[in-house]
Amino acid sequence: MPPLIFDAHLDLSMNAMEWNRDLTRSLPEIRERERGLTDKPDRENGTVCFPEMQKGNIGICVATQISRFVKPTSKLPGWHSQQQAWAQTQGQLAWYKTMEDAGEMLQITDAESLKNHVEKCLSKNEEKLPIGYILSLEGADSIINFHYLEKAYQSGLRAIGPAHYGPGIYAYGTDSEGGIGNKGRELLKEMERLNIILDATHLCDQSFWEALDHFNGHVWASHNNCRALVPHNRQFSDEQIKVLIERGAVIGGAFDAWMLKPGWIRGTSKPGAENVYISTVIDHIDHICQLAGNSLHSGIGTDLDGAFGTEQCPADLNSIADLQKIPSILKERGYSDEDVENIMWKNWVRFLEKAWE
């Protein structure tokens, strides 16, 4: 059995409910079903399904709900009311629960369920295990009020990224500018009370710094790369990375090519021609390890099939199972077996054990 992998960011329910992908099917079946479709940029190019996750031993993941509220002037796709956004996340939740009923997934919500699942994943037993998932919310616009936050927590929600792209209800995200405001501070206070993890990913710089100033709970960055290597507001500066390290965060390396190669042009650039490979992601992981002085704050947070597929991910990745190429790349760069385990899964598990102790 290949080594265990913990992927801290997969938009599984978005793929199932908006892209209409049956993730219980094989990758060739999913791609064939999409042949000729043009409604999404990555049709026929998907990389994620349960059989490939099983093949690659991606035994644990952070799986998202995602639903944006947009004002009439916004050019971003999204829902026209918070109520609609909430209803969308509940449809996504229903899909996760249905996958649990089918034996494909298992929700992890506390230290005991995490410990039990990790032990089974490491037992080397060849039986098929359900994929363990921690539920996360990418962009908090769907939280109509804090009664809904309580309901979400009771349904298993354990991490929130307050903003996604553009201005949100509670914070400003990628390609926008602004602070968290009173609503954002109230959200963080309630998250801290419920012990919900703050996902700093996608926060614009001002919202990032304000959020860390007002939140005393546990912080991670599920899928974020380095601004020193790819200059863009979506990436973190070294100063931001150092503060996250001080807070005990783990930062997941993301696999979207535009976050890996400066000057990437969506729909035009090609991974092979631009020399974007899995090793390019390792460049970002290594940069964080060098800033930390150890391997304790880097992890995997691929964002694979996050509205992109093989047309915009490392050229040597055809499916999520190819994450198993990472250990050898790390070892070639001088990382020890312990370092490799830290990055592949242990850092995320230790983070959650501490958060949930």
Side-chain angles (χ1 to χ4, degrees), residues 4 12 40 118 145 200 202 215 226 231 276 292 329 344:
L4 176 62
L12 298 177
K40 304 289 186 183
V118 170
N145 57 49
H202 278 294
F215 185 76
C226 307
V276 174
I329 299 172
M344 300 305 286

Side-chain angles (χ1 to χ4, degrees), residues 206-231:
Q206 184 180 344
S207 286
F208 173 93
W209 292 113
E210 290 185 11
L212 263 62
D213 283 345
H214 287 87
F215 185 76
N216 298 311
H218 301 279
V219 183
W220 69 23
S222 61
H223 58 304
N224 227 110
N225 293 342
C226 307
R227 197 175 297 180
L229 303 181
V230 179

Side-chain angles (χ1 to χ4, degrees), residues 44-213:
E44 302 180 49
N45 294 330
T47 65
V48 179
C49 64
F50 294 147
E52 291 298 314
M53 291 181 74
Q54 294 284 353
K55 178 182 175 183
N57 202 19
I58 295 90
I60 316 173
C61 68
V62 177
T64 69
Q65 297 168 290
I66 180 170
S67 185
R68 182 189 296 112
F69 162 71
V70 292
K71 295 180 179 179
T73 55
S74 176
K75 294 181 180 179
L76 293 168
W79 299 100
H80 295 180
S81 72
Q82 283 184 277
Q83 288 79 7
Q84 288 169 282
W86 169 263
Q88 177 72 4
T89 65
Q90 298 313 288
Q92 294 169 348
L93 177 65
W95 178 78
Y96 284 122
K97 295 300 183 183
T98 306
M99 291 301 97
E100 290 184 57
D101 292 342
E104 297 284 355
M105 301 187 78
L106 174 71
Q107 192 179 60
I108 295 170
T109 58
D110 55 30
E112 183 178 3
S113 57
L114 176 66
K115 179 176 181 289
N116 290 340
H117 188 69
V118 170
E119 286 179 352
K120 288 179 180 178
C121 287
L122 297 175
S123 69
K124 305 300 182 184
N125 192 320
E126 294 298 322
E127 71 170 318
K128 175 185 170 183
L129 292 174
I131 295 162
Y133 77 101
I134 295 93
L135 189 63
S136 177
L137 180 62
E138 187 169 27
D141 293 353
S142 60
I143 304 298
I144 300 168
N145 57 49
F146 298 133
H147 168 67
Y148 286 85
L149 183 63
E150 288 268 8
K151 291 172 67 173
Y153 180 81
Q154 294 302 321
S155 296
L157 183 66
R158 293 297 181 266
I160 294 177
H164 189 218
Y165 279 82
I169 299 290
Y170 297 100
Y172 284 75
T174 302
D175 291 334
S176 66
E177 295 180 8
I180 60 174
N182 290 331
K183 284 189 175 181
R185 287 190 286 273
E186 291 171 5
L187 173 68
L188 294 175
K189 183 178 179 181
E190 289 300 302
M191 286 171 57
E192 193 174 326
R193 181 180 67 82
L194 292 168
N195 195 29
I196 294 174
I197 295 158
L198 169 62
D199 189 347
T201 307
H202 278 294
L203 290 174
C204 78
D205 287 3
Q206 184 180 344
S207 286
F208 173 93
W209 292 113
E210 290 185 11
L212 263 62
D213 283 345

